[in-house]
Amino acid sequence: MRVVMFGYQTWGHRTLQALLDSEHDVVLVVTHPASDHVYEKIWNDSVADLAARHGVPVLLRNRPGDEELLAALKAAEPDVIVANNWRTWLPPEIFDLPPHGTLNVHDSLLPAYAGFSPLIWALINGERHVGVTAHRMDAELDAGDVLMQRSVPVGAADTATDLFHRTVDLIGPLVTESLGLIASGRAVWTPQDRSRATFFHKRALEDSRIDWTWPAEDLERLVRAQSDPYPNAFTHHRGQRLRIVSAAVSEGRYGGTPGRIFIREGDGVVVVAGSAARTGRLPGLLVRRVRTEDGAEHAAADYFRTMGGYLTHRP
């Protein structure tokens, strides 16, 4: 088949590499210009550079739909469009253009976690599996009929970085197998159960701010979800931003005011957490490693030399 690819960052790069390695003919690539957005500078393998190395024509667009792009798509005469991590809505005159429509690859198990940053949101929410979905694009974002899904389990100590590497490795085989089904006429498309659909927005710096009224279990997952190279979960100590690099749920149960720097436990320092912490029946967050604004990383037991004081939502 003749394939046009829309994609960006490492997700798009893996998709394009799978297409280039396949029996199909990649006739055009459309990708976004490089961005300074903090989350778009992570996992930013260049789709444009990969296409250029293989002599595939490339168009750069923030948003699609202009006459030059539409003319180029029609001239390319694709049998199918494949998209992965295209960051803006594609109009029907694009996604319905090829005879086989547009196959979109999304890094969640749809219909759950449509939208943005699905791995991070899924980890924060305690999901036991994450994965990727190949589905037919339609007018509603990430809502089209599903062709294929692949999943991996979420381990008790997994970070968002671990899950990224595990799920990005699913993309190539998923794309290859999906196109094989489409080309052979064996594709079976399953409508999504929209009653189970969830939709999440892009992550921003504010979403990494720690709210000490959250239960310690939730905060521990937030820290793992904001693992390097993502912006770390952060709080404030004595008016300065403090990033929490490593944490666990305390073994003991501690009462008091959320955010109180309370007691040493094992290799860390316990901070009181949870809106019901006053009861003394909740564990705290065992902070193990922190990072200051100058980039220096410290063991929490070294950084917090004395107990007392508070970690706060704002300076």
Side-chain angles (χ1 to χ4, degrees):
M1 295 188 295
R2 293 173 61 84
V3 182
V4 167
M5 186 266 182
F6 279 72
Y8 187 49
Q9 295 179 279
T10 301
W11 296 269
H13 189 279
R14 289 293 187 96
T15 300
L16 178 56
Q17 188 63 64
L19 294 172
L20 292 168
D21 291 341
S22 75
E23 61 184 0
H24 307 289
D25 185 14
V26 184
V27 294
L28 178 66
V29 166
V30 187
T31 188
H32 298 300
S35 169
D36 288 330
H37 187 285
V38 62
Y39 279 92
E40 293 185 5
K41 294 170 72 174
I42 303 169
W43 318 129
N44 62 346
D45 293 300
S46 173
V47 169
D49 290 351
L50 178 60
R53 288 198 300 271
H54 288 81
V56 180
V58 179
L59 293 176
L60 298 179
R61 291 293 188 278
N62 283 314
R63 293 183 177 276
D66 59 275
E67 290 304 317
E68 180 188 14
L69 174 59
L70 291 173
L73 289 172
K74 291 176 182 177
E77 298 183 329
D79 296 299
V80 66
I81 292 173
V82 178
N84 192 348
N85 199 40
W86 180 259
R87 310 297 278 177
T88 59
W89 183 67
L90 290 180
E93 56 265 31
I94 291 179
F95 68 69
D96 277 341
L97 175 68
H100 292 293
T102 295
L103 180 78
N104 187 56
V105 180
H106 180 70
D107 53 335
S108 83
L109 298 173
L110 293 174
Y113 297 94
F116 301 90
S117 304
L119 291 178
I120 294 177
W121 289 115
L123 181 52
I124 290 171
N125 291 331
E127 302 293 348
R128 295 187 177 184
H129 290 83
V130 294
V132 292
T133 299
H135 70 102
R136 192 198 307 269
M137 186 177 288
D138 62 15
E140 188 175 351
L141 190 62
D142 299 330
D145 295 351
V146 171
L147 175 59
M148 186 177 298
Q149 292 185 321
R150 293 290 181 268
S151 68
V152 293
V154 178
D158 280 340
T159 66
T161 307
D162 296 326
L163 298 180
F164 163 79
H165 287 297
R166 211 170 299 151
T167 56
V168 80
D169 285 343
L170 300 175
I171 291 173
L174 185 84
V175 168
T176 301
E177 191 170 348
S178 294
L179 287 187
L181 292 172
I182 292 170
S184 66
R186 295 181 292 116
V188 177
W189 303 92
T190 303
Q192 294 186 36
D193 179 356
R194 303 308 295 159
S195 69
R196 296 174 48 240
T198 55
F199 188 90
F200 287 80
H201 62 74
K202 287 183 180 180
R203 300 286 296 178
L205 188 62
E206 182 65 22
D207 302 305
S208 302
R209 188 187 302 274
I210 291 175
D211 181 346
W212 291 103
T213 65
W214 282 22
E217 294 88 347
D218 293 356
L219 292 178
E220 187 270 341
R221 291 197 303 271
L222 175 65
V223 171
R224 285 192 283 123
Q226 297 294 162
S227 57
D228 292 340
Y230 296 103
N232 301 121
F234 70 93
T235 186
H236 287 85
H237 182 234
R238 296 176 178 172
Q240 300 298 312
R241 185 183 298 176
L242 184 68
R243 292 166 171 81
I244 308 300
V245 177
S246 175
V249 177
S250 70
E251 293 188 8
R253 297 176 182 271
Y254 303 96
T257 301
R260 176 76 173 190
I261 305 162
F262 191 14
I263 192 170
R264 288 184 173 85
E265 182 184 281
D267 60 352
V269 173
V270 176
V271 179
V272 177
S275 59
R278 65 186 181 277
T279 66
R281 293 194 293 269
L282 298 177
L285 186 71
L286 179 68
V287 178
R288 286 176 166 151
R289 298 196 67 79
V290 299
R291 185 177 293 145
T292 52
E293 279 290 77
D294 61 2
E297 190 171 314
H298 308 269
D302 294 333
Y303 180 82
F304 299 110
R305 295 300 180 92
T306 59
M307 298 299 97
Y310 293 86
L311 297 179
T312 58
H313 195 62
R314 302 281 177 183

